[in-house]
Amino acid sequence: MSHLSNYLKLQGIRPPRTWVRTREFRAKIWRRLFPGTTFVAATGSFGKTTATQLLARMLRTQGRTYFRTDFNEPHNIWDNLLRAKPWRIRYFVQEVSGHKPGSVSRCVAALRPSIGIVTAISGDHRKAFGGSEATALEKSALVRSLPGSGLAVLNADDPLVAAMAAGSPCRVVRFGSNADADLRLIGARSRWPERLTVEVEYKGERFEVKTQLVGEHWAVSVMAALLTALEMGVSRSDCLSALEDARPAYNRMSVHRTPQGGWCVLDAYKSSYYGIEVCLQFLAQSSAPRKTVLFGTVSDYTGSSKSHYYNVARMALAVADRVIFTGRNAERVRRLATGEFAGRLFTAERPADALRMIEENAVPDELIYVKATRVDKLAQLLAPRRESISETSILRSS
């Protein structure tokens, strides 16, 4: 940290020794050395990782871009700032976590972004906040922190996100199907094996956006990133080219070929109960010889765990040919597996047994959707990380 030490001396700053040792203090001082860098922060209950990655892909066409996803809690962001080299970076794009009260405020205090994106609000982190309204209040800290010269990019279709415009000190632009949206959604289609295509309207012109993503629900992330890039001055042609080539973020419905000749859609980073139904919709529109869903842990719900697991099993069986639950909670659907859904619903306490079940009964071009949380560690078993794009990267300008 010699650069930081020299800066402190030049500024005549003599902080207490204990302060110098804290990452937060050092990061806030180091942040002052980014005069030519545009900082962008993205938050929301879902879609923020993909929006961050896609925006970085588009901004790289204009200059060197540093982006971070997953490493999105306050202490991570301090480290991200300290690792970055301000004299080499034009854009700094950071995903911001709002997993508990005060986390967004602490993130933006260090990052001090001039552009903020809020994708959507749902029921995740229910135990921390108690409901969607409290979650929205936490996420809105990003919008309230923006400077008067900044830009807030909000989801017009989500009432809780749209309401954040009232607390914004800066210009606000909106995306969504709402008629008043600056980037208006005309339609979205994603019918496996085809990837997501989104038709939008911007400044009176309609055009299609082709992607490598799976599932119509990713239209939120695509539009959030696209509108931000367009408002930042990236040309439409550069945006469309970058989006068409970008692959899904690893473990966020990333696509992997299985050794048995099937396809695995890996979505095992988090598994909020309130988002599962939306994610399963892509299976209903998919064309495959057989559709299989593998579940691990289901999270973010209150009340009876058995009833929630029953509901998840029924939702999956409505769109898939067979459903497998694994892990310590698999026993919660055992009665259904041996009753009305025998032959279609299966349980396996150990993930290795569940994988063996899939491998031994493989069908060519079978579509396997995996929904779990990080604690289940299914991603490491099913698809090595080297197969997908890294979540942390410095992208050179073309």
Side-chain angles (χ1 to χ4, degrees):
M1 294 306 300
S2 57
H3 297 292
L4 178 56
S5 300
N6 291 335
Y7 177 78
L8 292 175
K9 290 180 181 178
L10 290 173
Q11 297 297 316
I13 299 175
R14 295 179 178 276
R17 184 180 299 275
T18 54
W19 284 20
V20 176
R21 291 175 179 172
T22 65
R23 288 174 295 179
E24 182 176 9
F25 174 81
R26 288 185 288 134
K28 287 181 178 180
I29 297 297
W30 189 241
R31 169 66 178 83
R32 301 180 190 180
L33 298 178
F34 290 82
T37 303
T38 299
F39 282 79
V40 185
T43 192
S45 296
F46 61 86
K48 58 184 178 291
T49 296
T50 297
T52 299
Q53 175 185 303
L54 295 179
L55 176 59
R57 287 286 179 182
M58 288 181 278
L59 292 178
R60 69 176 293 193
T61 63
Q62 309 302 302
R64 193 174 179 87
T65 301
Y66 180 94
F67 79 97
R68 297 299 295 252
T69 63
D70 281 355
F71 300 95
N72 56 13
E73 297 182 22
H75 65 280
N76 300 131
I77 292 177
W78 304 331
D79 286 340
N80 298 343
L81 285 167
L82 291 169
R83 290 191 185 102
K85 297 177 175 59
W87 54 90
R88 301 177 63 189
I89 299 170
R90 183 173 178 183
Y91 302 105
F92 191 116
V93 187
Q94 173 71 60
E95 176 185 342
V96 170
S97 171
H99 66 292
K100 63 181 180 181
S103 58
V104 172
S105 296
R106 294 178 68 197
C107 288
V108 299
L111 195 64
R112 292 193 291 132
S114 59
I115 300 174
I117 304 168
V118 184
T119 56
I121 301 297
S122 68
D124 63 340
H125 304 308
R126 182 168 292 269
K127 293 181 180 179
F129 294 103
S132 298
E133 290 76 13
T135 302
L137 180 61
E138 173 66 24
K139 307 288 188 183
S140 68
L142 169 58
V143 177
R144 297 193 304 270
S145 73
L146 298 174
S149 59
L151 176 69
V153 183
L154 305 179
N155 185 344
D157 295 338
D158 188 320
L160 292 174
V161 177
M164 296 179 189
S168 173
C170 61
R171 184 168 69 94
V172 175
V173 291
R174 301 170 178 83
F175 60 90
S177 58
N178 192 296
D180 296 330
D182 298 272
L183 181 66
R184 187 163 69 92
L185 175 65
I186 306 300
R189 62 180 185 274
S190 176
R191 301 181 183 277
W192 177 269
E194 297 178 4
R195 302 302 194 262
L196 172 66
T197 297
V198 182
E199 184 180 1
V200 298
E201 180 179 335
Y202 180 69
K203 294 185 176 181
E205 296 186 31
R206 292 190 179 188
F207 54 94
E208 282 192 342
V209 183
K210 297 182 182 298
T211 78
Q212 298 298 315
L213 306 180
V214 177
E216 293 180 4
H217 60 288
W218 289 120
V220 170
S221 298
V222 172
M223 296 186 70
L226 176 59
L227 179 57
T228 305
L230 291 171
E231 291 292 322
M232 292 177 70
V234 184
S235 69
R236 187 205 299 178
S237 60
D238 284 342
C239 288
L240 297 183
S241 177
L243 289 173
E244 188 171 6
D245 293 337
R247 291 184 290 173
Y250 175 76
N251 211 9
R252 264 78 167 190
M253 300 190 77
S254 53
V255 181
H256 308 266
R257 193 67 163 166
T258 70
Q260 295 75 34
W263 294 97
C264 174
V265 176
L266 188 60
D267 191 15
Y269 185 79
K270 69 176 184 177
S271 184
S272 173
Y273 173 80
Y274 297 94
I276 288 176
E277 186 173 12
V278 173
C279 294
L280 287 172
Q281 287 178 1
F282 96 96
L283 279 175
Q285 302 172 338
S286 300
S287 176
R290 185 170 67 183
K291 304 173 189 178
T292 296
V293 181
L294 173 61
F295 282 112
T297 302
V298 177
S299 62
D300 294 321
Y301 59 84
T302 57
S304 169
S305 60
K306 180 174 288 188
S307 64
H308 284 84
Y309 274 83
Y310 269 35
N311 290 339
V312 169
R314 293 181 187 279
M315 284 190 292
L317 288 164
V319 297
D321 299 299
R322 64 173 180 167
V323 177
I324 304 170
F325 280 80
T326 188
R328 63 178 183 175
N329 293 300
E331 63 180 19
R332 303 189 189 285
V333 298
R334 195 177 303 279
R335 181 173 295 180
L336 287 179
T338 57
E340 61 179 303
F341 295 116
R344 293 185 60 208
L345 179 62
F346 306 90
T347 63
E349 183 176 349
R350 297 194 311 155
D353 295 333
L355 298 183
R356 191 176 301 108
M357 187 183 305
I358 291 174
E359 294 170 356
E360 292 176 351
N361 297 279
V363 173
D365 289 324
E366 177 180 9
L367 179 57
I368 304 164
Y369 175 55
V370 183
K371 187 66 172 174
T373 66
R374 284 173 291 177
V375 299
D376 298 307
K377 299 183 178 180
L378 290 178
Q380 297 93 314
L381 294 174
L382 284 160
R385 190 176 185 77
R386 63 177 179 272
E387 293 184 3
S388 188
I389 184 172
S390 172
E391 294 174 344
T392 306
S393 184
I394 292 183
L395 303 177
R396 300 179 183 275
S397 59
S398 301

